[in-house]
C-alpha cells in the first residue's frame, strides 16, 4: 500500500463515517467530521503532527467522561484548540 492509497478523498471519509456510525449505532451528530479535522489541523500546526491524532483521542476521552453530548465534544475541542494555539504562540515551546 502506498501513501496515496491511504489518503482518503472527502467522500470516502463520509463513507467511512457511515460505516462507523452503523457499526457502533452512532448518530450523525456523534461524528463531527469537520470539527475533528479542524482540531487535527490546529494541533498539527500549533504543536506537532503526531500530536493531532493523540489530541483527537484525548478530546473523545474527555468529552465522553463529561457526558459525551455534541456540546461536550465542542467544548473539549475548543479547549484543546485554544491550548494548541497558545502552544504555538509561546516562544518557549
Amino acid at each position: 500500500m502506498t501513501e496515496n492509497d491511504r489518503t482518503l478523498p472527502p467522500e470516502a471519509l463520509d463513507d467511512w463515517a457511515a460505516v462507523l456510525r452503523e457499526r457502533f449505532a452512532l448518530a450523525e451528530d456523534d461524528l463531527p467530521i469537520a470539527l475533528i479535522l479542524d482540531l487535527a489541523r490546529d494541533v498539527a500546526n500549533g504543536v506537532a503532527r503526531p500530536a493531532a491524532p493523540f489530541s483527537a483521542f484525548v478530546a473523545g476521552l474527555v468529552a465522553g467522561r463529561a457526558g459525551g453530548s455534541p456540546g461536550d465534544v465542542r467544548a473539549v475541542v475548543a479547549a484543546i484548540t485554544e491550548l494548541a494555539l497558545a502552544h504555538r504562540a509561546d516562544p518557549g515551546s
Side-chain angles (χ1 to χ4, degrees), residues 38-90:
D38 288 348
L39 169 67
R41 178 201 61 219
D42 293 339
V43 170
N45 290 330
V47 182
R49 286 183 71 185
F54 177 70
S55 298
F57 174 83
V58 170
L61 180 65
V62 173
R65 288 182 175 174
S69 73
D72 294 328
V73 172
R74 285 191 300 275
V76 172
V77 167
I80 292 174
T81 298
E82 183 179 321
L83 289 170
L85 295 175
H87 186 82
R88 176 175 52 196
D90 182 5

Side-chain angles (χ1 to χ4, degrees), residues 8 12-28 30-31 33:
L8 294 174
L13 187 54
D14 291 339
D15 292 344
W16 178 239
V19 168
L20 294 173
R21 281 194 302 272
E22 182 178 331
R23 170 61 177 86
F24 297 107
L26 299 169
E28 188 141 353
D30 291 334
L31 299 178
I33 295 171

